Amino acid sequence: MNGGYALELRSVRKHFPLRGLMARGRFVHAMDDIGFSLGAGESLALVGESGSGKTTTASVIARLYEHDSGSVVVDGEEIAAFRSRAEALRYRKKVQLIFQDPFGSLNPTHTIRQILERPILIHGLAKGKDELEARLREILEQVGLSPAGEYLRRFPHELSGGQRQRVNIARGFAVEPEIILADEPTSMLDVSIRMGVMNMMLDLKERRGVSYLYITHDLAGARYMCSRIAVMYAGMIMEIGPTDEVIQGAVHPYVRLLKAASPSPESGLARTRVAAKGEIPSLIDPPSGCRFHPRCPYATGGCSAAVPALRDIGGGHLVRCVLA
Amino acid sequence: MSDQAMLEVEGLVAGYGTKKGFVRAVDGVSFRLGKGRFLGIAGESGCGKSTLAYAIMRLLRDNARIESGRILFKGEDLATLEPEAMNGRRWTDMAMVFQSAMSALNPVLSVGEQLTDAVHAHRKVSRPEAVDLAVEMLRLVDINADRLKSYPHQLSGGMKQRVMIAMALILKPDLLIMDEPTTALDVVVQRSIIEKIDDLRKELGFSVIFITHDLSLLVEISDELAIMYAGRICEYGRSRELFDCPEHPYTEGLMNSFPTLSGPIVRMGGIDGHAPDLLSPPPGCRFAPRCPRAEADCSRVEPELRDLGDGRLCACPLGGRARRGGTR
């Protein structure tokens, strides 16, 4: 890794044009000035509510969308549109995406064996039948599906939601990627199953030394999974830093609101009255200046004038607020 | 538990007729809800919590039925009430807020029309009176009166759910049943809606049954908590105490299944395995196959929901016998 980052985004912007006659020239501002880095073997959580741009960010990194400007650097190499299939394959060997929906992301007509061996064959990662078999068994054991032989024969509909998500994760890991982009991997699972999948992902990360970009709306889950957190709001990063500095020492008014609103049984409702007002703004015509200013209790005149910069307040803790 | 019962459910069995037989989604559920109390019902998907809500409201689908048991609402058994009489109870005495606010509102009627429709359907009032009532209700849920003319697509998800709550409360029912009312909403919006329900409950004095899979939320907001597993209540008690000191191994596992925002980050267990198929539930205790403390007898003898005293009920023979330290 040459001491560099596994992944680095610098001021990445992604706007989606609206379709239709009336909408010409208007855009959904899904990502603006998104910048962060992810070290090798590190885990960063991207936390935000729906419409904050977190999934777009993962999709841009996975090259499902091309970004408009800024740069995405993976392994020291700036990425652009793929010029050949070989290039695309090389990239996907490094970066894998795990989707949220364990029901919709596995082909129902394929067995687990077919689902898992496909990426290994495409990337030519196994020489001969025995090695393929060994790889399949290894990855299934590692995601907690054993005996592996039993699961390889089955179809997705024969598995529970938690087991299906384990297959999804196994598929992501099958090509031995360097970076895993996990888009809300546990949000559709039942509470009692969720913890097992999260623990399994933590173990896999240890064992395989991958980097995680973990996308979630759950602040407590992000804290459990990652050493750093970036909180997004309306297409921008509002605060980023080491997990507990961002959660315990939250500076940005939005992050403090999010924290107060998150369920936390240790405290109880009476203590955490937040009197939350408003909702995330439309990204078609986002508010001028700081995107949180219409809801911010501390907003002053200047807040609507210019977008505040993401400033370092020490120790790698960055905040996008003039009050910080 | 509080003085006077608003709702008493006794041995309720309800479920669905399928090709493979009758699925007892709710299998012998009993509980008691006091006036003005907030009962949370928590459980995973398929545990029967929504079926329970629909059974109480007598809104089960055609292939579903109440098999046995009683639903005493202010002393009257709803389980055997004639459909016409039930129509008179719904909305006026008991109302329900559904999970999908997005699809529960009629897209071609304005908010005002939908609110006043509800009033006209159950009360003989003049139009202006109904509109006044609608405005008052919208004000209660912090929505401006000029929104009466808005259509659902002009409202955000949170506002739609507020409208649903206003609509449910417009006839001042004594009981409000909410089935995952905030699941599709973002945390901040969820929080504001829950604070609103709590305020309204204190102001209007209705009882609430709040159903969700999100236990961390329920622990915070409800007075009492019932934990359901595979069609049955496995533990019942004051939510704070249930969180601090769970007696049933399933409750304990659940409480050990969500990370926290403060304190040290420690590895949490969760629960191995998955919920049983209700067509052929395991014999004895239904949680036994997943239970870390199961003994040989557990898969033979069906445990009863025993009263452990102090408002706590637990369907585990181990409950109360061994108070366990370090639950979280």
Side-chain angles (χ1 to χ4, degrees):
Chain A
M1 215 59 58
N2 324 323
Y5 298 117
L7 170 71
E8 195 179 2
L9 271 71
R10 297 187 200 121
S11 196
V12 176
R13 194 184 80 170
K14 175 69 194 173
H15 292 179
F16 295 96
L18 288 179
R19 284 182 202 168
L21 212 58
M22 303 298 287
R24 194 163 296 164
R26 298 175 74 199
F27 294 90
V28 175
H29 299 234
M31 277 172 88
D32 268 306
D33 190 25
I34 298 292
F36 59 81
S37 59
L38 180 66
E42 202 203 1
S43 54
L44 171 70
L46 222 46
V47 181
E49 302 179 81
S50 42
S52 63
K54 54 195 195 303
T55 297
T56 306
T57 304
S59 304
V60 160
I61 299 167
R63 310 315 292 147
L64 302 180
Y65 302 131
E66 295 293 329
H67 51 286
D68 304 335
S69 63
S71 54
V72 179
V73 180
V74 170
D75 228 353
E77 223 177 302
E78 179 160 349
I79 55 167
F82 298 130
R83 279 160 306 202
S84 66
R85 181 171 150 81
E87 208 178 329
L89 278 180
R90 205 156 51 82
Y91 188 73
R92 296 199 177 116
K93 164 84 176 62
K94 279 186 204 161
V95 180
Q96 281 284 318
L97 183 60
I98 293 168
F99 296 94
Q100 173 176 14
D101 181 0
F103 302 92
S105 53
L106 296 175
N107 187 331
T109 67
H110 285 184
T111 60
I112 305 307
R113 172 185 295 278
Q114 287 170 305
I115 289 168
L116 291 182
E117 72 182 8
R118 200 171 151 85
I120 299 175
L121 295 175
I122 287 176
H123 290 277
L125 294 175
K127 295 173 203 73
K129 259 196 146 135
D130 293 346
E131 197 183 330
L132 176 67
E133 197 63 31
R135 267 179 182 270
L136 288 176
R137 284 173 191 274
E138 186 195 359
I139 188 65
L140 273 179
E141 304 275 347
Q142 286 183 5
V143 296
L145 296 178
S146 61
E150 180 63 32
Y151 286 99
L152 284 170
R153 269 198 303 272
R154 295 203 197 163
F155 286 93
H157 75 263
E158 297 174 286
L159 305 182
S160 68
Q163 290 170 336
R164 263 183 266 198
Q165 196 59 311
R166 285 173 191 264
V167 171
N168 247 327
I169 292 166
R171 178 172 59 182
F173 275 93
V175 302
E176 295 178 3
E178 288 160 24
I179 300 167
I180 289 274
L181 312 168
D183 190 0
E184 306 240 21
T186 62
S187 66
M188 288 180 71
L189 304 179
D190 265 323
V191 201
S192 73
I193 312 287
R194 206 173 280 174
M195 216 65 227
V197 172
M198 285 163 92
N199 284 338
M200 181 270 284
M201 287 186 73
L202 285 174
D203 291 340
L204 262 180
K205 181 177 154 297
E206 282 305 304
R207 192 173 289 167
R208 303 217 164 193
V210 295
S211 313
Y212 274 149
L213 185 66
Y214 187 83
I215 292 168
T216 181
H217 63 271
D218 172 20
L219 210 50
R223 180 171 182 261
Y224 188 74
M225 292 295 290
C226 297
S227 54
R228 282 166 71 228
I229 286 188
V231 179
M232 288 185 74
Y233 180 80
M236 289 187 153
I237 290 177
M238 293 298 175
E239 190 159 348
I240 180 170
T243 299
D244 269 346
E245 295 208 18
V246 172
I247 291 181
Q248 310 310 344
V251 174
H252 197 285
Y254 171 67
V255 182
R256 286 159 61 172
L257 170 66
L258 191 66
K259 183 185 153 193
S262 299
S264 130
E266 316 93 273
S267 47
L269 185 64
R271 197 192 65 83
T272 56
R273 283 271 150 164
V274 289
K277 266 200 250 83
E279 289 176 38
I280 221 160
S282 155
L283 294 182
I284 296 169
D285 295 303
S288 63
C290 172
R291 290 188 177 173
F292 187 60
H293 87 263
R295 296 171 71 188
C296 183
Y298 312 104
T300 58
C303 292
S304 57
V307 178
L310 199 56
R311 281 194 306 121
D312 197 334
I313 61 166
H317 184 178
L318 285 76
V319 182
R320 194 187 289 281
C321 179
V322 288
L323 300 170
Chain B
M1 238 174 271
S2 110
D3 39 320
Q4 168 191 5
M6 175 66 58
L7 180 75
E8 259 184 292
V9 174
E10 288 172 7
L12 186 67
V13 177
Y16 302 86
T18 70
K19 272 179 261 173
K20 291 177 189 162
F22 187 70
V23 177
R24 294 157 73 107
V26 174
D27 196 2
V29 164
S30 304
F31 65 87
R32 189 170 172 280
L33 175 66
K35 185 168 162 34
R37 303 295 284 179
F38 194 124
L39 170 69
I41 298 181
E44 304 178 76
S45 40
C47 75
K49 55 192 194 302
S50 290
T51 308
L52 175 61
Y54 280 82
I56 294 170
M57 289 296 290
R58 292 277 305 276
L59 286 173
L60 290 171
R61 290 167 191 279
D62 289 344
N63 65 335
R65 61 175 188 271
I66 294 174
E67 186 89 342
S68 60
R70 302 204 298 166
I71 304 166
L72 295 173
F73 178 68
K74 294 198 277 191
E76 181 180 39
D77 188 5
L78 301 181
T80 53
L81 209 59
E82 291 302 313
E84 295 76 31
M86 193 61 215
N87 277 340
R89 301 293 173 278
R90 258 184 242 120
W91 224 320
T92 30
D93 289 330
M94 52 201 297
M96 187 157 172
V97 174
F98 301 92
Q99 177 175 359
S100 47
M102 318 298 153
S103 47
L105 289 169
N106 188 333
V108 298
L109 291 180
S110 70
V111 167
E113 284 171 291
Q114 299 191 49
L115 282 166
T116 50
D117 263 2
V119 180
H120 288 303
H122 292 273
R123 294 255 168 87
K124 284 202 167 25
V125 290
S126 69
R127 257 188 71 77
E129 277 176 298
V131 172
D132 282 350
L133 208 51
V135 170
E136 184 202 327
M137 284 322 294
L138 283 186
R139 187 182 53 77
L140 277 180
V141 295
D142 297 328
I143 293 180
N144 206 305
D146 57 18
R147 284 292 185 182
L148 276 181
K149 294 192 197 72
S150 297
Y151 286 87
H153 75 270
Q154 295 167 311
L155 306 179
S156 68
M159 282 171 94
K160 275 187 241 187
Q161 197 55 286
R162 282 164 195 272
V163 169
M164 291 303 297
I165 292 167
M167 202 181 286
L169 293 177
I170 198 161
L171 297 174
K172 307 271 167 9
D174 295 318
L175 172 64
L176 181 65
I177 298 181
M178 314 189 85
D179 184 17
E180 307 248 10
T182 59
T183 304
L185 304 173
D186 280 316
V187 241
V188 179
V189 181
Q190 165 174 293
R191 166 69 48 170
S192 70
I193 286 191
I194 280 164
E195 287 181 355
K196 184 43 74 185
I197 293 166
D198 201 48
D199 289 343
L200 290 174
R201 170 171 72 113
K202 283 173 186 141
E203 195 176 326
L204 304 174
F206 52 85
S207 313
V208 180
I209 295 179
F210 194 104
I211 293 170
T212 180
H213 66 277
D214 188 351
L215 195 61
S216 52
L217 186 69
L218 274 188
V219 169
E220 251 184 89
I221 61 174
S222 50
D223 301 322
E224 278 97 26
L225 202 52
I227 310 285
M228 277 187 83
Y229 185 76
R232 293 187 175 157
I233 291 180
C234 63
E235 191 163 5
Y236 180 98
R238 280 189 283 274
S239 47
R240 190 73 241 172
E241 293 165 14
L242 216 65
F243 174 70
D244 288 337
C245 185
E247 292 287 353
H248 196 285
Y250 179 62
T251 317
E252 192 184 353
L254 279 184
M255 297 300 179
N256 201 9
S257 291
F258 45 86
T260 53
L261 277 175
S262 55
I265 302 173
V266 289
R267 272 289 176 116
M268 296 187 145
I271 306 170
D272 288 339
H274 51 87
D277 180 3
L278 288 180
L279 257 176
S280 49
C285 171
R286 293 180 175 185
F287 185 60
R290 297 174 76 185
C291 183
R293 260 190 287 276
E295 295 164 0
D297 265 358
C298 291
S299 42
R300 279 200 297 269
V301 188
E302 216 167 274
E304 259 177 74
L305 194 61
R306 285 188 304 128
D307 193 341
L308 302 184
D310 210 16
R312 181 77 69 96
L313 305 171
C314 175
C316 178
L318 296 171
R321 222 197 289 161
R323 289 262 166 180
R324 295 167 293 272
T327 48
R328 297 194 315 107

